[in-house]
Amino acid sequence: SQQGEEDPQALSIQEGENATMNCSYKTSINNLQWYRQNSGRGLVHLILIRSNEREKHSGRLRVTLDTSKKSSSLLITASRAADTASYFCATAYSGAGSYQLTFGKGTKLSVIP
Amino acid sequence: GAGVSQSPSNKVTEKGKDVELRCDPISGHTALYWYRQSLGQGLEFLIYFQGNSAPDKSGLPSDRFSAERTGGSVSTLTIQRTQQEDSAVYLCASSSRLAADTQYFGPGTRLTVL
């Protein structure tokens, strides 16, 4: 079953604007990750934030994590048409050494040139 | 080396037939995961291999699904007596022992069961 829930389900913005996507989850985690998927195929790892971290940056990406609210946000600044894709959050809990990921349903981002 | 590769990229089969999907992980990666992405269920974990340990099969949806990993590298996911609800994109991912929490995904195999 899905643990994460992204919101919004779909987002359409103009090129140059910022895009913010949110993710909520239900159980304890070791880390939370964001992935991008183009055209329903392979997932590209964007950024990982550990449960003891609150904010992380990577290029135009900023991720926050609030473990008390069990939520995370992904901010893409100065968006480009090439950012058009589906974005998924995934939580990982290492039980017996496995970091199996539990994915949310994703946010479909459209960046209009 | 190269990224995770999967074959075939697309597979169309008739209901009731068996299919085999292949995954070649990144060289040296000890962990291998299979996930399934379908319209109704989103992205779901199927099975996890780590080295020579017994696999974690907790995500396999039925006993028609099985997977093996030969020599700690290539993995094959087999679906027997396919059903229409098996139609999905099957994604494979691998990770290294040093960065076990970061998985690298292959391009997936799109399976269509007619």
Side-chain angles (χ1 to χ4, degrees):
Chain A
S1 61
Q2 298 292 316
Q3 155 142 273
E5 293 287 336
E6 281 96 337
D7 126 71
Q9 290 186 346
L11 179 61
S12 184
I13 59 173
Q14 295 288 327
E15 199 165 32
E17 293 180 339
N18 296 341
T20 300
M21 288 161 268
N22 302 296
C23 167
S24 60
Y25 58 93
K26 296 175 184 173
T27 62
S28 297
I29 62 171
N30 286 95
N31 64 65
L32 185 144
Q33 306 180 38
W34 286 89
Y35 285 83
R36 184 184 71 215
Q37 185 178 44
N38 292 85
S39 305
R41 297 310 291 263
L43 291 159
V44 175
H45 184 265
L46 295 176
I47 195 166
L48 179 153
I49 186 165
R50 292 192 167 80
S51 59
N52 61 352
E53 297 176 310
R54 292 296 167 258
E55 187 171 312
K56 202 161 185 180
H57 296 80
S58 176
R60 293 184 296 113
L61 305 179
R62 181 173 79 98
V63 170
T64 62
L65 179 65
D66 187 335
T67 52
S68 66
K69 294 181 180 177
K70 291 188 166 56
S71 68
S72 172
S73 68
L74 171 68
L75 169 67
I76 303 174
T77 60
S79 63
R80 306 167 182 167
D83 295 329
T84 294
S86 291
Y87 292 81
F88 294 87
C89 71
T91 54
Y93 178 73
S94 175
S98 164
Y99 281 90
Q100 70 180 72
L101 297 172
T102 303
F103 286 88
K105 294 192 189 317
T107 293
K108 191 168 185 178
L109 174 66
S110 299
V111 181
I112 303 165
Chain B
V4 177
S5 61
Q6 293 185 244
S7 62
S9 56
N10 288 283
K11 176 72 176 178
V12 180
T13 191
E14 293 178 348
K15 178 181 171 181
K17 296 281 179 70
D18 298 351
V19 294
E20 284 189 353
L21 312 179
R22 177 187 167 107
C23 172
D24 282 89
I26 292 172
S27 178
H29 279 193
T30 55
L32 187 148
Y33 300 78
W34 282 98
Y35 295 87
R36 176 172 74 171
Q37 185 176 28
S38 56
L39 280 175
Q41 299 298 320
L43 273 151
E44 304 172 284
F45 164 77
L46 295 177
I47 188 169
Y48 159 72
F49 294 90
Q50 173 61 272
N52 296 320
S53 303
D56 175 359
K57 304 178 183 179
S58 60
L60 295 179
S62 79
D63 58 8
R64 296 186 295 104
F65 287 72
S66 63
E68 62 177 21
R69 189 177 184 193
T70 53
S73 180
V74 171
S75 177
T76 302
L77 177 69
T78 301
I79 308 173
Q80 295 178 309
R81 305 181 302 283
T82 52
Q83 303 294 312
Q84 287 183 331
E85 61 262 29
D86 299 335
S87 296
V89 176
Y90 289 82
L91 293 159
C92 174
S94 69
S95 63
S96 69
R97 193 177 292 277
L98 290 178
D101 54 7
T102 301
Q103 296 176 32
Y104 296 88
F105 281 79
T109 294
R110 184 179 296 278
L111 174 66
T112 302
V113 182
L114 301 176

